[in-house]
Each structure stands twice: as structure tokens, then as C-alpha cells.
Amino acid sequence: MTKTRSTAPPRRERRKQDRPAEIVAAALQVFADKGFGAAKIIDVAQLAGVSKATVFVYFPTKEDLFRAVARTVVSVNFERLRTTEAAPAMPLATFVPLLLQQAATLGESRIGSIARMLIGESRSFPDLAKVWHDEVVAVMLGILTSTVARAQARGEVRAGDPRLIAFSIFGPMMAGVLFREVFGNSEAELPDLRALARQHSEIVLAGLSTGADA
Amino acid sequence: MTKTRSTAPPRRERRKQDRPAEIVAAALQVFADKGFGAAKIIDVAQLAGVSKATVFVYFPTKEDLFRAVARTVVSVNFERLRTTEAAPAMPLATFVPLLLQQAATLGESRIGSIARMLIGESRSFPDLAKVWHDEVVAVMLGILTSTVARAQARGEVRAGDPRLIAFSIFGPMMAGVLFREVFGNSEAELPDLRALARQHSEIVLAGLSTGADA
Amino acid sequence: MTKTRSTAPPRRERRKQDRPAEIVAAALQVFADKGFGAAKIIDVAQLAGVSKATVFVYFPTKEDLFRAVARTVVSVNFERLRTTEAAPAMPLATFVPLLLQQAATLGESRIGSIARMLIGESRSFPDLAKVWHDEVVAVMLGILTSTVARAQARGEVRAGDPRLIAFSIFGPMMAGVLFREVFGNSEAELPDLRALARQHSEIVLAGLSTGADA
Amino acid sequence: MTKTRSTAPPRRERRKQDRPAEIVAAALQVFADKGFGAAKIIDVAQLAGVSKATVFVYFPTKEDLFRAVARTVVSVNFERLRTTEAAPAMPLATFVPLLLQQAATLGESRIGSIARMLIGESRSFPDLAKVWHDEVVAVMLGILTSTVARAQARGEVRAGDPRLIAFSIFGPMMAGVLFREVFGNSEAELPDLRALARQHSEIVLAGLSTGADA
DNA sequence: GATGAATGAGACTTCATTCAT
DNA sequence: CATGAATGAAGTCTCATTCAT
């Protein structure tokens, strides 16, 4: 290669480098909208502004494309989680509202669609489910669990399996996000995620409290 | 003829009456396993022990079959809900553990698969999502919400939007059921639903309590 | 059989005897409306008020049914032709208007549809075309041809191949009937068959005349 | 590369441009042979030397293919008609023999098959019948009718509805063409179209003549 | 690398036809 | 004989995928 690495590459070149990302972005939308089965490669291609064949230049099969999408979303979320990671030292009464508010925000982003998609296809792509679990769900659950355990050690929180307590804390937000995702088009009355985060924080913290710090 | 006229109907006839149900049962399995797109009619047919064409005798299109499956599951669950319906008069401290334990049991049945399926296809079949919402989710949520509201009126439960409180109560079970459903094949450590029901009951009831009846 | 042949059979029995005819009648309509390919046995059955299987009791295959229909129409028309058959002795100036008027009437009956159908399927059912030719077209053409030949012998009609003259006489009616049949639904201005018969009679007779009897 | 850039386009490209036409040509044969219902796409594909799927690349449905075929034939014939268009000024005694001879020639081409096909399917494709009517039949009939009307105005031709006179002129040729088409495989004695054209010209012109120019 | 063109494989669906009652 | 039920065979159509340019 005679090209120097860091000088501004010609626009055409830049475009080329972005292609895969553009395709993944388009695929994210299409898969999220229709699910794996109903998504058509040509829709992805058109949305990305390339030809169908070009998609196959970067992703040998539809499955590969799907995996790439799932991984991308995972890594994006992984970033967000890192932010939270620093936090488990803080008291639960501070951490829980923060976490749930963040979840409320996420719930309004595209992540709900992804969750829906992964849930729907988890039987067809168990390996993807595993990736998602290992790199997102387990991490988050781990942070939450260990924060709870620490609080228990400090005597702030009642005894009990900290992993199940994590479900008590996080479950309602998940339910809310999915509810909006699944019934969003059904004239159903949708829960207000921020209000839910606020109110559930109070309830669950009250329910967990040993009264030691009240 | 040795057949008595009025007893058992002729075998053919008998099968005919059962056929649709048999096919729906088979379809339930296949759809739950693979999702709508990946399910093939021929798999349903083979599982039901009939020919592909026979499936079409009873269900004009694949979509119709899917709808029939969803409706069947809805109606089965509707029955179970009727049982619960009598209950909202009882104190929340009795009702919540009962409900969550029931959910724990359900979670071990096939209903998780159905939920997964409906979640995955909710964008492609918004009408089905609506049916499921109107006939199952809204009903259950309604019962729970009104029970909570009554308890609030009695002064047993803290103030707050009773619908969101319903999410606080039920959400963790839903999260648990889906977690098992989605990550069941991923060597993930699965939550024990009964334990979750027991422990979350305590936490959430404590968190909701005004102390009035403590 | 203990049944006596000629006493009035019980109504049920009579019905049975008519079945094939009823089915053929229904099939005539359906085939005429849709053509062989698009006609469905079940439509025939419903129109005849019997079950699909019953059609197969009388006509082993769809083709057989089609043949039966074609033959029936042939024989009906054969009857009408017999009427005309007596006529070739009469002078052409009497015979032609009579024949064309009759054709005009026929053209308004269902026979146009049958012709359309036979024309459309003549490649798929060459044997039917042959039957139709031998038993209807050739007979009629024969009568017309010989009438013309006789008139030529009498010196009333100009010289020329009498078979082609038959085309000159009959062709415009055929064109008119088919025109109505094919373009009847196309907002096209349809020819008035009786007027055509009247006017063409005059023209063709004038054209054929040697002036010998004028 | 030995290829010169601007001469013949690459082979692939060239084929692409021809493909639709090749497929339509193949379809013309198959449809004409078997009619719409009995024609199978795979036969068309094989005859065109492409795969089944390729047919669908250019014609989304079998119906569309059929329409394309019908339109192609229409446009081909439209060209031929343009030739005739210049003619209506000439005296009927010149025009009629010309027209009928042309029809005799056409009758020996593939147009008979197309007519048969359109007649057979006119009920299933009324819109096609309309196209055929508007763009071919009505045009031709119009030319003929107005030529006749002019001749009447000149006093060369007897009074009478000129449109029906057009049927008198053209009908026998149509009958002859269809006769050959339908009974061609039936050992029937087929009319000689050129002889028919010649003889019918004489007869009908004589029949129409007022004697004004005799 | 990018793409227009082509296709293999396979899906859903239809319908004439069979068969047990 | 009449029929409800079931099916084999076949057809249209879709789509991920390949390949020559």
C-alpha cells in the first residue's frame, strides 16, 4: 500500500470503509421492524443505498448479518454499561433510581426492538442469545447483584438471594419496556417509563430496607 | 352391521372433530420452537400425523393457523384467569403471593414459549398482539390494578398509580419467566421461579405497606 | 331389481335419474363462464346442489365432464339443425334469411359461450373440436353448401366453390356472434345480430345472384 | 483486455436487453399452444432457455406475462394496420380485395393462435379483450367502416349501416381463419383463405354495388 | 470492491381425485 | 348412490445466494 494511513483519505475511500457499518445500521432497522424471518435482504440493501449483492460482499449469509447486528448492539450497550460499572460502590438508595431512570431512557430508544427481536429468535439463534446474555444481561445482572450483596453486607438491605433481588429491582422496568414494545400499536394504555422508574425505586427500596439507614 | 347406531360416532367422524385441535396442538409446538417465519407447514402436518393439504382444509393460510394457535392459548389462559378473578376482594398480602406462585407455575408450562413467540411476531401480527393484550394481559392487569386500588382505599397500601404498582408486583415474575425462556439453552444460571415468587412477594408487600396493618 | 320400470318412480328416484343432466347443466354454465382451466369442480357441484364427490360418481374426470357438456350442446344443436335439414330444397332467397335469422337468435343464447369455450380449448381437446366439427359445423356447412350447389345448378347463383360461398353467407353472422361474446364486457358497441342477418342476407343474395330470377 | 470499450456491449448486457423479448416470444408459443390455464411457466422458461425464476424477474406474475404477450401481438399487428391506414381513400373495389388478401396472409401467420387464445380467455381477462378491441379490432373496423361510408357518400355502395356492412365484408375471412385454427387438426377440409378472399371480394362487392359504376 | 442478472431450492397453496362410511 | 374428509401431485412465486463483468 502506498497510501499513508492518517492523511484524509479520498471521500470515496472513506465511504468504502463505512459500508459495513452503514449496512449493519440499515439491517438493525429492518430486523427490528420485521424480525429475522420477515426481513428481506433487499430492504436492507435499499435502506443502505447499496445493491443486494454488496450486502453479500460483507456478510456471507443473512445469518451472519443478523449476528453482526446483534453484536453491534451488544457492544454499544456494553459501552453504556461501563459507565454504570463504576457505580456499585454507591449506596443502593442512590444507585437504584439512577439505574432505573437509565433503563427508562433506554426503553425509549431502539433497544426495545432489539430485545424483542432477540427474544423472538432466541430459539433459532441460541448462540446469539448466549452472546447477548454473556455480554449484556449477565454483566448488568452481575453489577446489580454485587451492589445488592454489598449493601446486604453493610446491613442496609434485608437478607435473601441477591440475584433474585436483582430481578425484583429490574423486572418491572423490563416488563414496562416490553409492554410498550409489544403493545405499542394496540391502542393499549402504555406505562410511563420514567414514572415507573421513580415509583418502583421507592417501593423496592422501601421493601428492601432493613430500616438501618432510615 | 355390529355397530350400534347411536353410541360412538364412526371413527372417521370422530377424527374429524379432533383434527383441528390436533393440528393446532402440533402447530403450537412448531411455532413455539421456531417462530412464525421458520416454521414450515409440513412440520406441523407431520407432527399432527396428517398431510400438508389437510392442514389447509382447516386453516386456509399459514397466518390463519398462527392466529388459531394464538387464540387457543389465549382461551386456555383465560380459563386460568377466571379462577383468579374471584380473588380481588382478599387482602393484598394474601393475593400477591398466590398470584406470583401461580405465575411461577405457569412459567414452567408452555406459556413462556407462546409469550416469546408473540413478542417476536408482535410487529408482523399487531392484531394478534391486540387480542393477547385485550383478552389476557389487560384482564390480568385489571384485576391486579383494582385489587391494589382497593387496598389503597383501605389504607393498607401506599399512594401511587395503581397500574404502575401492578408492574412493580408482576414485572419480576415476567422477567424471570422470559429469562428462563430466552436463556434456557445458554448454560446461564436460571432463576428459581418459585423462590423468586416467594421472595419478591415479601419485598414488594413490605415496600407497599403503609405500616397500617403491620 | 324388483322395481317396475315404467310406473312413476318415487320422487327421490327421479331426482337420481336427473342428476347427471343437472350436473351437466351446471357444468355448462361454469365452463362457459370461465373456460376449462379456470372452472372448478366445486363450483359445478355447488351450482348443481350436490357434493364435489357426487360429480365424480357420474364423471370420472374433469375432462369427461367437459366432454359431456360439449356433447350435450352438440346434440341440442343437432336437433335444431334437423329442423333446418328439411329445407335445402327451398330457393336460396328464402333459405338464407331464415338461416341467418336463426343464427341471430342462437347468438343470443348460450351457444356463443360454448363456441368461445371450444375455440379456446380446441388445442387442448382436439377430439372435442372434431366432434363439434363433425356433428355440428360440417353438417350445417354441408346443408348450406348443397343448397348453394343446387341453386347454382338451377342457374340462380353465380359460379364458384360452393363451400367458400357458404363462408360468405355464414361468416358475418359468426363474426357478429363472437364479437358480442368476446367484447360484450368491453363497452364496445355491439352489432345488432338481427339487423346484421337482415342486411347481410340482402347483400350476399344480391352478390350471388346471376340476375336469372330477378 | 482485448475488448474495445465503445463497440458491442458486453455479452451479458446484450442478453439482458433481449431476455424479455425472448421470454415473451417463448410465452407466445406456449400460450398459443395450450391456452392460459394449461400453459406452465416452466415450459416457457425452458423454451426461452432460462430458469423458471428468470421469467419472474421480468414478469411478476403469470398474468403479467400473458398480458405482455397479448400486448406484443397487438403492437405487431398495429404496425401492419398502419400500412392499411393510408388506404381508405381508394375505391372500395380496390380496397376490399387488398384487405381480404392481407387477412388471408395474416391468417396463415401466428395471429390465428392469438385470436383463439384471446377468445378463449376473454372472460378471464376482460381488460385484455378491451385492449385488443380498442387497439386492433376497433381500429380496423373503423377504417373499414369509414371507407364504406365514403363509398356510400359517393353513391357507389348501397344504403345500410356501414358498420354492419363491415361485418359483411370481413366476417367470412374471420370465419375462415378461425375455422382453420380450430379444426386444423381434425382432418377437416380447410378453406383456402386466398381463394376465399378472392371469391368473397367479388360476391360482396357485387352485392354492395349500386350499379352506379358498373 | 460493486453490481445487474440469473438461479436453485423450497415454500405455500390449489385442486382434481380417492375412499370409508 | 352420496358425501365428508383426506391427500398426491403439481404449480406459482419468493428469496438468499452466486457469478461474470
Side-chain angles (χ1 to χ4, degrees):
Chain A
M1 297 281 174
T2 55
K3 252 173 259 167
T4 345
R5 214 204 304 164
S6 56
T7 43
R11 195 162 304 161
R12 182 83 185 270
E13 194 67 13
R14 183 112 106 283
R15 188 96 208 275
K16 265 185 191 169
Q17 283 182 320
D18 293 346
R19 279 275 153 84
E22 286 168 9
I23 292 171
V24 166
L28 168 55
Q29 253 191 78
V30 176
F31 281 133
D33 259 26
K34 318 210 173 172
F36 182 80
K40 278 146 213 163
I41 294 282
I42 197 170
D43 294 337
V44 174
Q46 275 166 358
L47 197 59
V50 300
S51 82
K52 215 178 6 163
T54 302
V55 174
F56 283 91
V57 169
Y58 296 100
F59 306 95
T61 69
K62 192 185 177 186
E63 270 198 38
D64 289 319
L65 179 56
F66 186 71
R67 280 174 219 289
V69 168
R71 288 228 175 73
T72 300
V73 176
V74 163
S75 64
V76 166
N77 273 72
F78 195 72
E79 286 316 304
R80 306 210 190 190
L81 283 179
R82 292 203 148 267
T83 323
T84 328
E85 211 166 2
M90 60 174 80
L92 209 60
T94 314
F95 181 60
V96 164
L98 218 70
L99 183 71
L100 299 198
Q101 281 302 338
Q102 200 181 109
T105 314
L106 277 180
E108 285 153 0
S109 81
R110 192 161 289 279
I111 199 174
S113 301
I114 302 308
R116 208 193 57 232
M117 179 174 100
L118 281 166
I119 290 170
E121 309 293 345
S122 56
R123 273 292 189 285
S124 313
F125 296 87
D127 60 319
L128 268 190
K130 186 165 170 41
V131 169
W132 181 258
H133 173 266
D134 292 352
E135 299 186 18
V136 178
V137 177
V139 171
M140 195 209 67
L141 222 52
I143 295 171
L144 192 46
T145 302
S146 66
T147 310
V148 166
R150 241 167 290 200
Q152 283 176 321
R154 272 184 259 125
E156 290 166 30
V157 162
R158 67 156 65 201
D161 181 341
R163 197 141 184 283
L164 297 184
I165 291 179
F167 275 88
S168 283
I169 294 172
F170 204 76
M173 292 315 296
M174 216 195 89
V177 169
L178 275 181
F179 189 101
R180 294 179 67 92
E181 197 58 44
V182 172
F183 301 127
N185 297 324
S186 308
E187 311 166 20
E189 192 194 343
L190 300 181
D192 173 342
L193 291 182
R194 288 159 202 268
L196 177 59
R198 215 177 307 121
Q199 181 172 299
H200 182 62
S201 292
E202 286 177 28
I203 293 171
V204 77
L205 286 171
L208 287 171
S209 164
T210 53
D213 67 350
Chain B
M1 301 278 181
T2 55
K3 240 177 276 167
T4 342
R5 213 201 309 160
S6 54
T7 24
R11 190 166 311 156
R12 193 96 176 225
E13 192 71 12
R14 182 122 99 277
R15 298 213 72 180
K16 151 69 179 169
Q17 284 181 330
D18 296 344
R19 277 283 144 81
E22 288 169 15
I23 292 171
V24 165
L28 169 54
Q29 259 193 72
V30 175
F31 281 134
D33 258 27
K34 319 210 173 171
F36 182 78
K40 328 270 182 236
I41 293 283
I42 198 172
D43 294 338
V44 174
Q46 275 166 358
L47 197 58
V50 299
S51 83
K52 226 186 340 172
T54 301
V55 175
F56 285 93
V57 170
Y58 297 98
F59 306 95
T61 68
K62 192 184 176 186
E63 267 199 41
D64 287 319
L65 179 56
F66 186 71
R67 279 173 218 289
V69 168
R71 287 226 177 76
T72 300
V73 177
V74 163
S75 64
V76 166
N77 273 71
F78 195 72
E79 285 316 304
R80 306 209 189 191
L81 283 179
R82 295 202 145 263
T83 322
T84 329
E85 210 165 1
M90 60 175 80
L92 208 60
T94 315
F95 181 59
V96 164
L98 218 70
L99 183 70
L100 299 197
Q101 281 302 338
Q102 201 180 106
T105 315
L106 276 180
E108 286 153 359
S109 81
R110 192 161 287 281
I111 198 175
S113 304
I114 302 310
R116 212 194 54 234
M117 179 174 101
L118 281 167
I119 290 171
E121 309 295 343
S122 56
R123 272 294 188 286
S124 313
F125 296 87
D127 59 318
L128 270 190
K130 186 166 169 40
V131 169
W132 182 257
H133 172 266
D134 292 351
E135 299 187 17
V136 178
V137 176
V139 171
M140 198 209 65
L141 223 52
I143 294 171
L144 194 45
T145 301
S146 67
T147 308
V148 166
R150 240 168 290 202
Q152 286 176 321
R154 272 185 257 122
E156 290 167 30
V157 161
R158 67 155 63 201
D161 181 341
R163 195 142 186 281
L164 296 183
I165 291 178
F167 275 88
S168 284
I169 294 173
F170 204 77
M173 293 314 297
M174 217 195 88
V177 168
L178 275 181
F179 189 101
R180 295 180 66 93
E181 196 57 45
V182 172
F183 302 127
N185 298 323
S186 308
E187 311 167 21
E189 192 194 344
L190 301 181
D192 173 342
L193 292 181
R194 286 162 204 265
L196 176 58
R198 213 177 309 123
Q199 181 172 301
H200 182 61
S201 292
E202 286 178 28
I203 294 171
V204 78
L205 285 171
L208 287 171
S209 166
T210 52
D213 66 351
Chain C
M1 299 280 178
T2 55
K3 252 174 258 166
T4 345
R5 212 201 311 161
S6 55
T7 43
R11 195 163 305 159
R12 181 84 186 269
E13 194 67 13
R14 183 110 109 281
R15 187 95 208 272
K16 267 183 189 168
Q17 284 182 321
D18 293 346
R19 280 274 152 85
E22 286 167 10
I23 292 171
V24 166
L28 168 55
Q29 254 193 77
V30 176
F31 281 133
D33 258 27
K34 318 211 173 170
F36 182 79
K40 279 146 211 160
I41 294 281
I42 198 171
D43 294 337
V44 174
Q46 275 166 358
L47 198 59
V50 299
S51 82
K52 216 181 3 166
T54 302
V55 174
F56 283 91
V57 170
Y58 295 100
F59 306 95
T61 70
K62 192 185 178 186
E63 270 197 39
D64 288 319
L65 179 57
F66 185 71
R67 280 174 219 288
V69 167
R71 286 225 177 75
T72 301
V73 176
V74 163
S75 64
V76 165
N77 274 70
F78 195 72
E79 285 316 303
R80 305 210 190 191
L81 283 179
R82 292 202 149 267
T83 324
T84 330
E85 209 166 3
M90 60 176 79
L92 209 58
T94 315
F95 181 59
V96 164
L98 218 70
L99 182 70
L100 299 197
Q101 281 303 337
Q102 201 180 106
T105 315
L106 277 179
E108 285 153 0
S109 79
R110 191 160 288 280
I111 200 173
S113 302
I114 301 308
R116 209 193 57 232
M117 180 173 100
L118 281 166
I119 289 170
E121 308 295 344
S122 57
R123 273 293 187 284
S124 312
F125 296 87
D127 59 319
L128 268 189
K130 186 166 169 39
V131 169
W132 181 259
H133 172 265
D134 293 351
E135 298 186 18
V136 178
V137 177
V139 171
M140 197 209 65
L141 222 53
I143 294 172
L144 193 46
T145 302
S146 67
T147 309
V148 167
R150 239 166 293 199
Q152 285 176 321
R154 270 184 261 125
E156 290 166 28
V157 162
R158 66 155 65 199
D161 181 342
R163 197 142 184 282
L164 297 184
I165 292 178
F167 275 89
S168 284
I169 294 173
F170 204 76
M173 293 315 295
M174 217 196 87
V177 169
L178 275 180
F179 189 101
R180 294 180 67 95
E181 197 58 44
V182 172
F183 301 127
N185 297 324
S186 309
E187 311 166 22
E189 191 192 345
L190 300 181
D192 173 341
L193 292 182
R194 288 160 203 267
L196 176 58
R198 215 177 308 122
Q199 182 171 301
H200 182 62
S201 292
E202 285 178 28
I203 294 171
V204 77
L205 285 172
L208 287 170
S209 166
T210 53
D213 67 349
Chain D
M1 300 280 177
T2 55
K3 239 176 275 166
T4 342
R5 213 204 305 164
S6 55
T7 25
R11 191 167 310 156
R12 193 97 177 225
E13 194 70 12
R14 183 122 99 278
R15 298 214 72 184
K16 149 72 180 170
Q17 284 180 330
D18 297 344
R19 277 283 144 82
E22 288 168 15
I23 292 171
V24 165
L28 169 54
Q29 257 192 74
V30 175
F31 281 134
D33 258 27
K34 317 207 175 175
F36 181 79
K40 327 270 185 236
I41 294 282
I42 197 172
D43 294 337
V44 174
Q46 275 166 357
L47 197 58
V50 299
S51 82
K52 227 185 338 173
T54 302
V55 175
F56 284 95
V57 168
Y58 295 98
F59 306 94
T61 67
K62 193 185 175 185
E63 267 198 41
D64 287 318
L65 179 55
F66 186 71
R67 279 173 218 288
V69 168
R71 286 228 178 75
T72 301
V73 176
V74 162
S75 65
V76 167
N77 274 72
F78 195 72
E79 285 316 303
R80 305 210 189 190
L81 282 179
R82 295 202 145 264
T83 322
T84 328
E85 211 165 2
M90 60 176 79
L92 210 59
T94 314
F95 181 60
V96 164
L98 218 70
L99 183 70
L100 299 197
Q101 280 303 337
Q102 201 180 107
T105 314
L106 277 179
E108 286 154 0
S109 80
R110 194 160 287 279
I111 199 175
S113 303
I114 302 310
R116 209 192 56 233
M117 181 173 100
L118 281 167
I119 290 170
E121 309 295 344
S122 56
R123 273 293 188 285
S124 313
F125 295 87
D127 60 319
L128 270 190
K130 187 166 168 42
V131 169
W132 183 258
H133 172 267
D134 291 352
E135 299 187 17
V136 179
V137 177
V139 172
M140 197 209 65
L141 222 52
I143 295 172
L144 193 46
T145 301
S146 67
T147 310
V148 167
R150 238 167 290 202
Q152 285 176 322
R154 270 184 259 122
E156 289 167 31
V157 161
R158 67 156 65 200
D161 181 342
R163 196 140 186 283
L164 296 183
I165 291 178
F167 275 88
S168 284
I169 294 174
F170 203 77
M173 292 315 295
M174 217 195 88
V177 168
L178 276 181
F179 189 101
R180 294 181 67 95
E181 197 56 45
V182 172
F183 301 127
N185 298 323
S186 309
E187 312 166 17
E189 192 193 344
L190 301 181
D192 173 342
L193 292 182
R194 289 161 202 268
L196 176 59
R198 213 177 309 121
Q199 182 172 302
H200 182 61
S201 292
E202 286 178 27
I203 293 170
V204 77
L205 285 171
L208 287 171
S209 166
T210 53
D213 66 351

